[in-house]
Amino acid sequence: MKRSNRWMWLGLVPFLALVLLFQLIPVVSMVAGSLKPESGSGISFGFYAHILQSAYYMQAIKNSLLISAASSAIGIVVGLACAYAITRFPSKTRDRLLMLSNMTSNFQGIPLAFAYIVLLGSNGVFTLLFKQWGWSVFADFNLYSWSGLVLVYVYFQVPLALLLLYPSFYGIREQWREAASLLGASRWQFWTSIGLPVLSPAVFGTVGILFANAMGAYATAYALVGGNYNLLAVRIGSLVAGDVVNQPQLGNALAVILALTTLLAVFLNHKMTQRARRLDTVFASRPARRRRSSPQRAWTAAAAAKEEL
């Protein structure tokens, strides 16, 4: 057993080397670079103070937060409806839709921005076509603005939300629906009292992932608006590898702020996952009572489980 454990640890060496080279060392270098003073040695928080006092960089943080929040809100609402709808399809159709959603969620970056420019840009196919037909559908729409960025972000946020929320609907057991129906509860009452509370941990956890995904999106925003729209990820790229201004220490400080917002989203996702596990434990602790109980007791048990959260 000891020799077997040694071989198992030896198999983890490549993985640990990858984590060290591509995660730990870059993070340490980023944090250390953000604390270096412009001249001399030691530790300085001057770059963080400069960011907090600069209206330009605070606007970049604000724009990124607003776009991430808006795209996450739209993505979770549409993704929740699509995830519920996809559970109603036959298994073959459901598998094909999930495969399409998986492909769509990974279609982002420069190809996605170019596709939107070709279709909905100033001289896009749909823009010129609707203009020729006399339709004013995209008359006031500007793809290279805040609304255009939100629309592009929603494209990959919705399928990602669908893939994350889809398994959660199978946690809602059919016995709960039957008990609610026998007790005269409407479909709206069932979802507000049992369905949504059961799904809430997964929903909030998915919102955290969508928010972090939008905050870290760089290639899509850069290819679409370049430096014309002030975003945190774009500012970091321009400071680290810019042609005009090159301030890697300031870029490191902005990257640390971006990483902190992402870590906050991951932390919220972890807390919501813990709540989901507690919910599963509550229902799993009374399986026999649920099988032998009356519909009234089943409905009461489900409501009591919600209250225990």
Side-chain angles (χ1 to χ4, degrees):
M1 289 295 295
K2 292 183 178 180
R3 186 175 300 176
S4 177
N5 290 335
R6 291 175 183 175
W7 283 107
M8 290 176 61
W9 281 106
L10 185 62
L12 289 175
V13 170
F15 172 74
L16 295 176
L18 288 175
V19 171
L20 179 65
L21 293 175
F22 295 100
Q23 291 190 9
L24 296 181
I25 293 179
V27 169
V28 173
S29 176
M30 178 182 67
V31 175
S34 67
L35 296 176
K36 285 184 179 179
E38 295 186 13
S39 60
S41 59
I43 297 177
S44 174
F45 293 93
F47 292 109
Y48 293 100
H50 176 67
I51 292 172
L52 296 178
Q53 295 173 1
S54 173
Y56 182 69
Y57 292 117
M58 292 302 296
Q59 184 188 31
I61 297 174
K62 179 182 177 181
N63 290 338
S64 296
L65 291 174
L66 290 177
I67 290 179
S68 300
S71 62
S72 301
I74 298 174
I76 197 65
V77 172
V78 179
L80 192 64
C82 293
Y84 173 73
I86 206 173
T87 59
R88 308 285 94 184
F89 287 100
S91 58
K92 291 184 178 180
T93 305
R94 183 171 62 245
D95 293 340
R96 293 172 182 172
L97 291 174
L98 289 175
M99 181 181 64
L100 180 63
S101 300
N102 190 15
M103 295 173 56
T104 308
S105 65
N106 291 283
F107 182 69
Q108 50 184 303
I110 296 178
L112 177 61
F114 180 73
Y116 266 88
I117 292 172
V118 170
L119 295 177
L120 298 176
S122 301
N123 296 314
V125 175
F126 290 144
T127 305
L128 297 179
L129 187 63
F130 291 159
K131 184 178 180 180
Q132 184 177 1
W133 288 349
W135 296 358
S136 59
V137 179
F138 298 105
D140 299 327
F141 176 74
N142 184 11
L143 181 63
Y144 313 104
S145 63
W146 186 88
S147 57
L149 283 171
V150 172
L151 178 64
V152 175
Y153 278 34
V154 166
Y155 180 87
F156 57 81
Q157 294 280 62
V158 169
L160 179 59
L162 188 153
L163 293 174
L164 294 174
L165 292 173
Y166 160 74
S168 302
F169 280 92
Y170 289 98
I172 301 177
R173 303 179 184 180
E174 194 63 29
Q175 296 95 320
W176 304 343
R177 301 176 186 267
E178 296 173 357
S181 178
L182 290 174
L183 290 171
S186 63
R187 181 174 297 182
W188 172 257
Q189 290 175 326
F190 170 78
W191 282 107
T192 55
S193 300
I194 301 300
L196 289 179
V198 171
L199 292 174
S200 60
V203 169
F204 284 106
T206 303
V207 168
I209 295 177
L210 295 181
F211 184 84
N213 187 40
M215 284 291 294
Y218 169 73
T220 302
Y222 183 77
L224 188 64
V225 298
N228 297 325
Y229 196 82
N230 196 8
L231 289 176
L232 184 57
V234 176
R235 292 284 73 79
I236 294 172
S238 64
L239 289 172
V240 174
D243 296 331
V244 180
V245 179
N246 190 5
Q247 293 180 293
Q249 291 89 351
L250 185 58
N252 287 331
L254 288 173
V256 170
I257 294 176
L258 177 61
L260 290 177
T261 58
T262 306
L263 288 175
L264 178 61
V266 172
F267 174 75
L268 294 176
N269 181 27
H270 176 67
K271 300 301 290 186
M272 293 301 106
T273 303
Q274 288 182 335
R275 291 192 61 190
R277 290 175 180 174
R278 287 201 298 268
L279 177 64
D280 294 337
T281 303
V282 168
F283 280 108
S285 63
R286 36 182 115 170
R289 182 187 305 176
R290 184 172 56 254
R291 287 195 296 267
R292 295 193 297 265
S293 62
S294 64
Q296 176 67 41
R297 290 183 178 179
W299 176 260
T300 305
K306 181 194 71 172
E307 294 295 334
E308 291 183 17
L309 292 177

